[in-house]
Amino acid sequence: MPSTTARLVIEHNVRVPMRDGITLAAEIYRPDTTDPLPVILERTPYDRRWMPPGDPVNGIALAETGYVVIMVDCRGRFDSEGAFTPFVDEARDGVDTIAWVTAQPWSNGRVGMLGGSYVGATQWLAAGERPPALQAIAPYVTASDYHEG
């Protein structure tokens, strides 16, 4: 179980490389420790810097409880490179982001994803590729199949 800490390291506009050479923009919130920690990842088209009040994906609050939290703009959104084509690149970019996360010294190799709406779809699509480090997803107000209903 992650421990509580008050000191945080916050990194802005960190570049996350994808296999095709483009980079995605990320915000990283993590406890100020050298211990490797579990990671909570959100990949969003809605702006990685936006945390609405009451949203369960609050990077600062989750990092204060002992998680590394990474908020990443989807391909072609805000400061991320490339073109945004809904749903097309999310599986591959999700796998690449998870691989990058697990290679970082602050990661213990265990990744969970959460978030709602399109952010839920980024989880389903990445999970469908079965990246070994992805331990859990928590999508809400999203669909598991955009071709039905």
Side-chain angles (χ1 to χ4, degrees), residues 18 24 41-46 70-75 89-95 97-98 113-114 118-123 126:
M18 299 294 103
L24 306 182
L41 170 63
E42 178 180 289
R43 298 187 58 260
T44 180
Y46 307 124
I70 304 174
M71 314 286 277
V72 180
D73 285 334
C74 290
R75 177 183 294 253
D89 298 299
E90 303 309 346
R92 182 181 58 238
D93 287 353
V95 169
T97 303
I98 291 166
M113 296 176 77
L114 74 154
Y118 190 88
V119 177
T122 69
Q123 296 166 64

Side-chain angles (χ1 to χ4, degrees), residues 96-118:
D96 290 355
T97 303
I98 291 166
W100 180 84
V101 163
T102 59
Q104 303 310 305
W106 34 253
S107 171
N108 72 359
R110 297 174 52 112
V111 179
M113 296 176 77
L114 74 154
S117 191
Y118 190 88

Side-chain angles (χ1 to χ4, degrees), residues 3 7 10 15-16 22 40 45 55 62 67 77 79 82 89 97 121-122 127 133 138:
S3 61
R7 292 188 44 110
I10 300 173
R15 307 314 297 181
V16 180
I22 71 119
I40 297 173
D55 190 327
L62 289 168
Y67 293 93
R77 300 293 293 156
D79 296 320
D89 298 299
T97 303
T122 69

Side-chain angles (χ1 to χ4, degrees), residues 18-95:
M18 299 294 103
R19 68 183 79 172
D20 63 357
I22 71 119
T23 62
L24 306 182
E27 303 291 296
I28 301 174
Y29 306 86
R30 59 185 177 85
D32 188 9
T33 179
T34 57
D35 296 336
L37 300 168
V39 176
I40 297 173
L41 170 63
E42 178 180 289
R43 298 187 58 260
T44 180
Y46 307 124
D47 193 348
R48 70 190 187 280
R49 296 163 293 209
W50 182 59
M51 287 185 262
D55 190 327
V57 186
N58 181 306
I60 294 171
L62 289 168
E64 286 174 340
T65 65
Y67 293 93
V68 176
V69 179
I70 304 174
M71 314 286 277
V72 180
D73 285 334
C74 290
R75 177 183 294 253
R77 300 293 293 156
F78 300 92
D79 296 320
S80 286
E81 297 172 346
F84 180 65
T85 306
F87 307 110
V88 171
D89 298 299
E90 303 309 346
R92 182 181 58 238
D93 287 353
V95 169

